[in-house]
Amino acid sequence: MREASKQLMRLLGSNLEEQWMRSLNLAITNWIIEFKSLNPSIKTPSPLFSYAISTVGLWKVQLYCPTIAMEVGNSSSASLDERLLLSLRYQQLEGVIQLGHKVIIRENWVDVAVNIDNIRLDVAPLATETLLSERGAGAEEKHFPSRIFLQVTPTIQTNMLSVSVSKSSDNPVHEIGIEKTLEGSFDPPTKVGFKMSAAETVTMSMKPWKFEQSVYGNSVNLNWFLHDSIDGREVVSSKPSKMSLFQPKAWFRDRYSSAYRPFTRQGGVVFAGDEYGESVVWKMDRESIGKTMEWEIKGFIWLTYWPNKYRTFYSETRKLEFREILHVSLTKPA
């Protein structure tokens, strides 16, 4: 009952919608846990819920999915104890993808320009903080977004002439500084001796998120990658070393309270148009004027767990896929 569900979401409003989906996915999570306890080898269907809104100048996709239902891409060989398992089970991915679009009628063709307005991803708990603290590993042991992939494609391409993208963001910023100091002093004449001390300080910083654009046929691919600020590796395809797990100042330790965190304090991410504001432009012939065209947006979202404060060697990455249809009217604005 997809269309009825969309209407229900609009009637509830965003605040009640969020509460409704958390309650619903809490029930689904409990059902999956019970189902898998009886049938461990059977794969449960994904309860991902998403819907799209097409309006003047804006495309919006809203999605919800309990993390227990997401596909496991890779996980460490370390064992997962019951307390950590409880915390990782009772979470939900909440996402909002907003794209701005504009139709520009040229003399010889029509431009459809699409830009990033806002992309927001959060991982919200489905159980109370008290329960997660008493029976689990705590509310701060949870997954975090590590990669986002969006593909935007016009479904009918007979009137398509070309597609243009802007440059990708700069490579991750490296700032390496080495400071060496050497101090020496003589003791007073009454004593014989020489005192010396030496110190060395090494600092390095890296831009945690990298953005890339690419074109495949008439499809535009948008990619965000999270990198480990210590060694520069992509988080989604790597695991933390056991040595780094003991480093108290590693970026993934206290990642929701550190001043240099790559996430919001609640553990999500926000990508706004002021950083990724250059448009992607599709050019179409003038025969398309007056038509309403469909665009497909397909996406993959990866969530990763690395230990935050809990003492464990366990890590994993999960993935979900969504697909929605959006519309744009190729007419001059009133």
Side-chain angles (χ1 to χ4, degrees):
M1 301 178 65
R2 192 174 184 81
E3 291 303 318
S5 297
K6 291 181 182 180
Q7 293 297 325
L8 175 62
M9 295 300 105
R10 293 183 183 182
L11 291 172
L12 290 176
S14 58
N15 291 341
L16 285 177
E17 172 187 320
E18 185 178 272
Q19 295 178 31
W20 167 257
M21 291 306 302
R22 289 182 183 181
S23 300
L24 183 63
N25 280 332
L26 173 60
I28 290 174
T29 297
N30 287 330
W31 173 79
I32 291 176
I33 292 172
E34 182 179 357
F35 186 83
K36 281 191 170 292
S37 68
L38 301 174
N39 305 277
S41 60
I42 297 179
K43 185 177 180 180
T44 58
S46 173
L48 165 72
F49 175 72
S50 64
Y51 66 92
I53 297 174
S54 303
T55 186
V56 178
L58 181 68
W59 289 334
K60 178 183 177 182
V61 177
Q62 186 94 33
L63 57 92
Y64 301 90
C65 186
T67 56
I68 193 174
M70 296 174 65
E71 176 187 350
V72 179
N74 60 69
S75 62
S76 65
S77 57
S79 60
L80 179 60
D81 65 67
E82 289 297 322
R83 294 181 69 89
L84 181 58
L85 179 62
L86 187 143
S87 287
L88 296 184
R89 276 176 167 175
Y90 286 93
Q91 300 172 15
Q92 167 178 272
L93 173 65
E94 301 174 355
V96 178
I97 298 167
Q98 294 177 181
L99 303 176
H101 63 81
K102 186 192 313 184
V103 177
I104 306 170
I105 307 295
R106 306 290 188 184
E107 183 178 353
N108 298 315
W109 67 82
V110 179
D111 282 344
V112 176
V114 176
N115 67 284
I116 297 164
D117 176 78
N118 226 231
I119 294 177
R120 305 189 299 274
L121 297 178
D122 287 298
V123 179
L126 294 176
T128 64
E129 187 172 342
T130 301
L131 177 65
L132 294 176
S133 298
E134 292 179 352
R135 298 179 54 188
E140 291 188 335
E141 298 302 319
K142 61 181 181 179
H143 297 82
F144 55 84
S146 55
R147 183 186 172 190
I148 305 164
F149 171 83
L150 300 178
Q151 185 179 75
V152 186
T153 308
T155 57
I156 300 176
Q157 303 186 8
T158 53
N159 297 324
M160 199 65 55
L161 300 176
S162 67
V163 59
S164 302
V165 296
S166 56
K167 68 175 183 178
S168 297
S169 65
D170 296 333
N171 289 329
V173 177
H174 293 267
E175 295 179 358
I176 301 176
I178 299 178
E179 181 182 350
K180 294 183 178 180
T181 59
L182 181 65
E183 296 180 357
S185 65
F186 285 100
D187 285 333
T190 56
K191 297 181 180 180
V192 179
F194 177 78
K195 293 182 178 180
M196 183 179 68
S197 63
E200 180 176 324
T201 303
V202 179
T203 60
M204 183 180 74
S205 65
M206 175 178 289
K207 187 176 181 181
W209 285 94
K210 169 114 172 75
F211 173 65
E212 294 179 348
Q213 296 185 70
S214 61
V215 176
Y216 179 75
N218 286 318
S219 298
V220 171
N221 300 327
L222 308 175
N223 263 295
W224 289 261
F225 300 90
L226 178 65
H227 290 80
D228 187 334
S229 58
I230 302 300
D231 55 25
R233 294 183 302 168
E234 289 181 3
V235 171
V236 71
S237 58
S238 61
K239 300 174 184 177
S241 66
K242 290 187 177 180
M243 289 298 295
S244 64
L245 289 173
F246 290 102
Q247 296 176 2
K249 293 186 178 180
W251 74 264
F252 50 85
R253 288 289 185 184
D254 294 325
R255 55 179 173 259
Y256 308 123
S257 56
S258 168
Y260 304 101
R261 60 183 181 266
F263 314 104
T264 64
R265 195 170 184 84
Q266 286 71 36
V269 291
V270 177
F271 301 111
D274 54 357
E275 187 173 358
Y276 309 99
E278 297 185 50
S279 298
V280 175
V281 179
W282 284 269
K283 289 182 170 58
M284 289 168 286
D285 59 37
R286 290 185 63 86
E287 293 182 3
S288 59
I289 295 177
K291 297 180 179 179
T292 297
M293 293 189 63
E294 287 186 348
W295 255 258
E296 178 193 72
I297 179 169
K298 180 172 68 173
F300 294 90
I301 298 173
W302 286 260
L303 297 182
T304 297
Y305 170 74
W306 286 3
N308 184 32
K309 294 182 178 180
Y310 197 66
R311 291 185 176 273
T312 179
F313 290 119
Y314 184 78
S315 63
E316 69 174 23
T317 294
R318 293 175 175 263
K319 181 180 72 170
L320 69 80
E321 177 184 2
F322 68 91
R323 189 188 306 260
E324 291 290 340
I325 295 297
L326 302 159
H327 298 87
V328 61
S329 179
L330 303 185
T331 58
K332 294 183 179 180

